[in-house]
Amino acid sequence: MTIRPTKVTTYANIALIKYWGKADVSSNLPAVGSLSLALSPLKTVTEILQSDNGLQTFSLNRKPMPEAMQVRVQNALNDFGVDSSLPMTFATENFFPTAAGLASSASGGAAMTLAFEQAFDLHLTEAERIAKTLKISGSAPRSLYQGFVALKPQANGTVELEQIDMPTSWNLHVLVIVTAQGEKKNSSRDAMEHSKTSPFYNAWVSEHAKDLEAAIEAIQTEDFDQLMQLMEWNTLKMHALPTTSNPAVWYWNATTLKVLEQIRESKEQGLTGGFTMDAGPHVKLFCHDQDVTAWTKQLSQVPGVLRVIDCQPAPAPIVEIVE
Ligand code: PMV
């Protein structure tokens, strides 16, 4: 089989309304919907090339890929109907911390699907593309598109994606406040399953659709404050699940809490914005363009904050043939 030399760029997405929990582990069907925004410069670049020496090489961030991740790529190749022993060079690089709760699985998963399609000349329908990407990671289909994306599980076991127009008057930024170095200790995959031991799990699932619909409506009615309030509430409900599982798992560190306190104080003093957090200790702050400088100044000086990455809505994924 000839491999078309391929390079794909995708962007990590951050959820405003969170996916947490699986209805079906084998198909990776989420138990709840979600709403996200893909962000630049949080990009992943994945290349697939014909191997010069007949060997198969997998790399992550320019180093040999960890065995477990390599197995995930090979399983995905099989799922796409491609011979997973084919000699090829598969190189993926995240231009932001990997496996740290910054959604590298989302951009990585979307990049993998688009790269397989191009490199192996597959002709997938949109529904097939979404289903295969979902199997790689529950948040990854959202990185197939730009802008606000809602992912909604359907009764027939599939998911539907809906793009929601960005209000033209909004010039959104997301500040990623990095509060630790290194990778997270608990994968979201394991912690989600473990969260079923929380007494609040069923309430989370049954209440969730209301949050998602209200957040979509807040975007459509250009009600930024309402969207921020819903995002913070939904985030804290999500974090309540691992925190109240048995035994408890939590993702926050002391700096995470100091950042949350600073956000509360800054809002009391008149800044507008809202926070969210994923399966890691970092905090993400959504705000308007005119408040970026003030927020960055206040959040960078919180003791323990390592850096603040200023992000903006990302362009659509880019698929290229490498010469
Ligand atoms: O797609 P996964 O398995 O990495 O899970 C993502 C879970 C959260 O980032 C915490 C929430 C979300 O909707 O992105």
Side-chain angles (χ1 to χ4, degrees):
M1 180 188 221
T2 343
I3 297 178
R4 300 200 291 182
T6 297
K7 176 179 172 184
V8 171
T9 306
T10 54
Y11 295 87
N13 70 71
I14 299 296
L16 297 90
I17 298 295
K18 305 300 196 185
Y19 149 52
W20 195 259
K22 296 179 200 295
D24 178 58
V25 174
S26 64
S27 63
N28 214 19
L29 182 71
V32 293
S34 51
L35 170 73
S36 70
L37 183 64
L39 297 174
S40 171
L42 306 183
K43 70 172 180 184
T44 295
V45 176
T46 299
E47 284 189 344
I48 301 181
L49 306 171
Q50 192 97 41
S51 142
D52 304 330
N53 53 11
L55 296 175
Q56 209 178 35
T57 339
F58 293 95
S59 72
L60 168 68
N61 298 336
R62 296 170 186 260
K63 295 197 183 107
M65 188 178 279
E67 179 75 24
M69 191 182 271
Q70 197 170 309
V71 169
R72 280 179 78 181
V73 178
Q74 276 165 325
N75 287 345
L77 279 167
N78 286 329
D79 190 49
F80 278 73
V82 177
D83 174 1
S84 63
S85 63
L86 220 56
M88 71 175 95
T89 303
F90 179 99
T92 190
E93 189 167 359
N94 295 321
F95 290 79
F96 57 95
T98 299
L102 291 177
S104 54
S105 68
S107 47
M112 203 143 84
T113 295
L114 297 174
F116 288 170
E117 275 194 81
Q118 167 79 15
F120 307 114
D121 199 17
L122 309 174
H123 297 273
L124 303 182
T125 62
E126 193 176 19
E128 286 167 339
R129 181 176 307 123
I130 291 170
K132 290 195 182 299
T133 312
L134 182 76
K135 260 187 139 175
I136 301 170
S137 158
S139 55
R142 302 184 315 227
S143 276
L144 292 169
Y145 304 93
Q146 64 180 328
F148 286 120
V149 177
L151 185 154
K152 297 182 180 175
Q154 305 294 304
N156 65 2
T158 62
V159 299
E160 274 184 11
L161 294 188
E162 189 184 321
Q163 285 184 277
I164 296 128
D165 289 342
M166 175 72 69
T168 46
S169 63
W170 289 6
N171 195 346
L172 275 192
H173 283 242
V174 179
L175 303 179
V176 175
I177 304 132
V178 180
T179 63
Q181 250 150 3
E183 298 191 2
K184 63 191 176 197
K185 289 186 203 76
N186 298 291
S187 77
S188 39
R189 197 165 277 254
D190 295 342
M192 272 184 208
E193 274 315 283
H194 183 57
S195 286
K196 291 183 177 162
T197 62
S198 164
F200 305 124
Y201 183 80
N202 290 340
W204 159 256
V205 173
S206 61
E207 289 278 301
H208 195 280
K210 268 197 264 169
D211 289 4
L212 181 57
E213 289 314 319
I216 293 172
E217 198 187 319
I219 297 171
Q220 287 166 340
T221 55
E222 309 197 7
D223 191 340
F224 181 74
D225 292 342
Q226 172 69 359
L227 181 64
M228 294 300 98
Q229 204 260 321
L230 285 162
M231 176 173 74
E232 292 187 353
W233 188 40
N234 187 268
T235 298
L236 292 173
K237 285 193 282 183
M238 183 211 106
H239 279 267
L241 297 179
T243 315
T244 52
S245 330
N246 188 11
V249 169
W250 64 83
Y251 287 101
W252 306 359
N253 62 26
T255 308
T256 314
L257 293 175
K258 285 188 201 136
V259 169
L260 294 184
E261 246 170 45
Q262 180 62 56
I263 292 172
R264 189 169 51 189
E265 241 170 67
S266 302
K267 284 213 261 186
E268 278 164 14
Q269 288 160 13
L271 279 181
T272 44
F275 65 78
T276 185
M277 292 166 292
D278 294 286
H282 316 296
V283 183
K284 290 101 186 185
L285 188 278
F286 281 62
C287 66
H288 294 300
D289 183 54
Q290 69 265 23
D291 293 330
V292 168
T293 311
W295 273 118
T296 307
K297 191 162 168 253
Q298 305 210 355
L299 296 170
S300 310
Q301 46 121 41
V302 173
V305 168
L306 301 176
R307 64 187 167 124
V308 175
I309 310 170
D310 179 13
C311 302
Q312 281 182 271
I318 304 160
V319 180
E320 296 165 271
I321 297 269
V322 189
E323 292 309 330

